[in-house]
Amino acid sequence: SETGGEFDTDEVFFEGVAPIFSDDMNIPGFHTLEINGAVREIDNSQSGSSTVWSAGGNWKPISTLNIRGNYTESIRAPSLVELFAPVTQSFSFANDPCDFRFVDQGPNPEQRRANCVAAGISDPDDFTSNIVNATATGRTGGNPDLTDETAESYSVGFTWEPRWVDNLIIGADHFDIELGNAITSLDLTSLMVACFDSANFPNNPACDAFERDASGQVVDFQTGQTNAESFRVEVQDFFVDYRFEVASALGLFSEGMRDSNLGFLRLNTRISRDRRRQQSVTGEDIVRSSRSFASPKYSGTFDATWSRNDTRVFWRTIWQNRARLSPSQQNAFFNEEGEQVTSTSQRFISNLTISQALPRWFDWMPQDTRAQVVVNNVFRRMPNTVEQAAGHFGFAELFGRQYSFTLQVRY
């Protein structure tokens, strides 16, 4: 059968910036102060009306210190595909929470077992669910009942440029983002887990996504897009950026170096602290992923760029601290000696890029000809056996040290 849909969106918005104090007013503690804001009224024929807004400001108590902040409430309307993708026949396995192999798992096994009994499975220890090893037939597709994703976020931060050191910038930022009603496509296992782990059983909406027969076997289901997920991310960034002339720095130790052309060196360091990162797929099961390999508690980049005339050398070291092999503690890992390992080692991966404009050496070449050599994973960091088993390695580590050469010619 034919399927499809459409929606209309009308929007009205206003944005403004208002300077409150300026440096020529000579007001102590207020070198400059400005506030900014924006508001948008959205009328979506499918998901309804919403008002989103943002407010922030920049304050310089002195000329070298800037303090900034922002608060935002925003939405994302579901897309046409998420709303109106055709519902088609689907076949699926699932780890049925009421099966004897899974009934004692989850954050609250007693709650799961009680809900399974209430669903008519009198003895979960003796229940074998067919869908674990054989697919059931159901449906999957879009969901025209989707509502808007919502988000609230705020950030505060500062940058400081001390007068006594030219071209030095020090700064920090704090970000807090909370996303609700996130649109996601849940598989059948996720829906069943959400249902039977819920303290609101059988009124959790996930319980309406599948049907059992009199013997407890799953005989029908519908998966697809739903407003289910929520995220909370809280991150703190610290950074230092410093650019200086190499000859001037060496001139502090040798007066004869001051007039040399030794180029410029830029040093940049950024450290991130993952203060909080949690996710709920169904509104009840909170998963904290901070300190995992993908979301380490601390990570950073250390960059050094040296440039002189048409030559540029760039060095980057990427670092992250030790990460838990199994943040949920559901899996155990052992090394070659049979000792249990709970975390990876710290990771340092360094990359080098050297770039040179060739016409400086070969005047017969086109003006924009440039050669570049890249060495990734300079120190050839490789994952150990446990890190390989846990999948805690990146692309660069998988292939070891890599070299590439690029010649760019423009006419």
Side-chain angles (χ1 to χ4, degrees):
S1 61
E2 294 184 1
T3 184
E6 62 180 26
F7 61 79
D8 299 317
T9 300
D10 296 315
E11 300 184 11
V12 178
F13 70 93
F14 170 81
E15 298 178 358
V17 177
I20 307 301
F21 300 112
S22 61
D23 55 353
D24 56 5
M25 293 181 177
N26 296 318
I27 299 177
F30 290 94
H31 182 73
T32 62
L33 175 66
E34 70 173 29
I35 59 174
N36 57 74
V39 62
R40 182 181 299 264
E41 185 69 28
I42 303 172
D43 184 15
N44 185 296
S45 62
Q46 181 69 27
S47 57
S49 299
S50 300
T51 301
V52 299
W53 60 277
S54 176
N58 289 277
W59 170 41
K60 280 190 173 183
I62 55 177
S63 62
T64 57
L65 177 63
N66 181 52
I67 300 172
R68 56 184 177 269
N70 176 270
Y71 177 84
T72 300
E73 292 188 2
S74 57
I75 65 164
R76 183 184 79 85
S79 69
L80 285 170
V81 172
E82 292 166 336
L83 289 165
F84 304 118
V87 176
T88 59
Q89 189 178 54
S90 175
F91 302 91
S92 178
F93 294 96
N95 292 338
D96 189 337
C98 297
D99 183 275
F100 75 95
R101 288 160 287 191
F102 307 107
V103 70
D104 290 322
Q105 297 182 10
N108 189 344
E110 293 182 359
Q111 179 78 66
R112 176 179 291 192
R113 179 180 289 271
N115 290 341
C116 289
V117 172
I121 301 171
S122 57
D123 186 5
D125 291 327
D126 194 40
F127 175 67
T128 300
S129 180
N130 294 338
I131 200 171
V132 175
N133 296 310
T135 59
T137 304
R139 292 150 292 143
T140 187
N143 180 359
D145 295 324
L146 291 174
T147 59
D148 294 334
E149 293 182 344
T150 61
E152 296 182 15
S153 65
Y154 75 86
S155 64
V156 294
F158 75 90
T159 55
W160 178 44
E161 303 179 50
R163 295 178 181 177
W164 55 88
V165 183
D166 292 337
N167 301 316
L168 172 64
I169 303 175
I170 300 171
D173 290 288
H174 177 95
F175 304 94
D176 192 318
I177 303 170
E178 187 170 2
L179 178 66
N181 282 334
I183 298 171
T184 187
S185 180
L186 296 181
D187 60 20
L188 183 54
T189 295
S190 298
L191 290 166
M192 297 185 75
V193 166
C195 172
F196 288 102
D197 285 353
S198 175
N200 193 33
F201 177 89
N203 298 318
N204 187 301
C207 298
D208 297 329
F210 57 92
E211 181 182 342
R212 296 183 186 271
D213 62 15
S215 63
Q217 300 299 334
V218 176
V219 293
D220 190 24
F221 65 86
Q222 180 161 348
T223 60
Q225 306 292 336
T226 185
N227 291 101
E229 291 197 83
S230 64
F231 300 90
R232 178 76 182 275
V233 178
E234 201 171 347
V235 177
Q236 295 165 339
D237 276 348
F238 309 88
F239 63 89
V240 178
D241 188 279
Y242 184 36
R243 183 178 182 272
F244 59 91
E245 192 172 359
V246 177
S248 297
L250 295 178
L252 298 174
F253 307 97
S254 173
E255 189 67 29
M257 300 293 292
R258 288 186 180 275
D259 297 328
S260 303
N261 180 14
L262 301 179
F264 291 87
L265 183 63
R266 180 177 181 180
L267 303 176
N268 182 283
T269 299
R270 181 176 293 271
I271 303 293
S272 294
R273 177 180 182 238
D274 203 330
R275 189 171 182 274
R276 178 186 357 217
R277 188 176 296 267
Q278 61 189 39
Q279 175 183 7
S280 173
V281 177
T282 62
E284 298 186 24
D285 53 326
I286 302 289
V287 177
R288 292 173 173 84
S289 58
S290 184
R291 303 190 184 184
S292 67
F293 176 75
S295 304
K297 186 171 181 62
Y298 292 99
S299 61
T301 57
F302 308 91
D303 297 343
T305 306
W306 176 74
S307 57
R308 178 176 176 269
N309 299 328
D310 295 323
T311 304
R312 181 177 180 271
V313 179
F314 174 71
W315 178 278
R316 165 167 287 183
T317 296
I318 303 169
W319 163 78
Q320 72 177 55
N321 73 325
R322 299 166 66 90
R324 294 172 179 169
L325 289 166
S326 179
S328 63
Q329 299 181 350
Q330 292 183 353
N331 299 313
F333 296 87
F334 298 86
N335 59 20
E336 292 87 341
E337 288 74 34
E339 301 169 330
Q340 184 171 356
V341 181
T342 59
S343 63
T344 64
S345 58
Q346 297 193 63
R347 299 172 70 241
F348 290 90
I349 298 178
S350 297
N351 304 319
L352 172 66
T353 301
I354 302 174
S355 178
Q356 174 65 51
L358 297 183
R360 182 176 180 83
W361 295 347
F362 308 100
D363 56 7
W364 50 269
M365 285 188 166
Q367 186 64 33
D368 292 331
T369 303
R370 179 171 289 272
Q372 179 173 283
V373 176
V374 177
V375 184
N376 287 327
N377 198 0
V378 173
F379 299 113
R380 200 170 179 268
R381 186 192 192 280
M382 303 288 285
N384 59 37
T385 303
V386 173
E387 291 171 342
Q388 291 184 48
H392 284 203
F393 56 86
F395 179 84
E397 296 159 283
L398 185 63
F399 291 94
R401 187 185 300 118
Q402 302 170 73
Y403 304 87
S404 66
F405 174 78
T406 303
L407 181 64
Q408 179 179 317
V409 182
R410 293 181 180 177
Y411 293 94

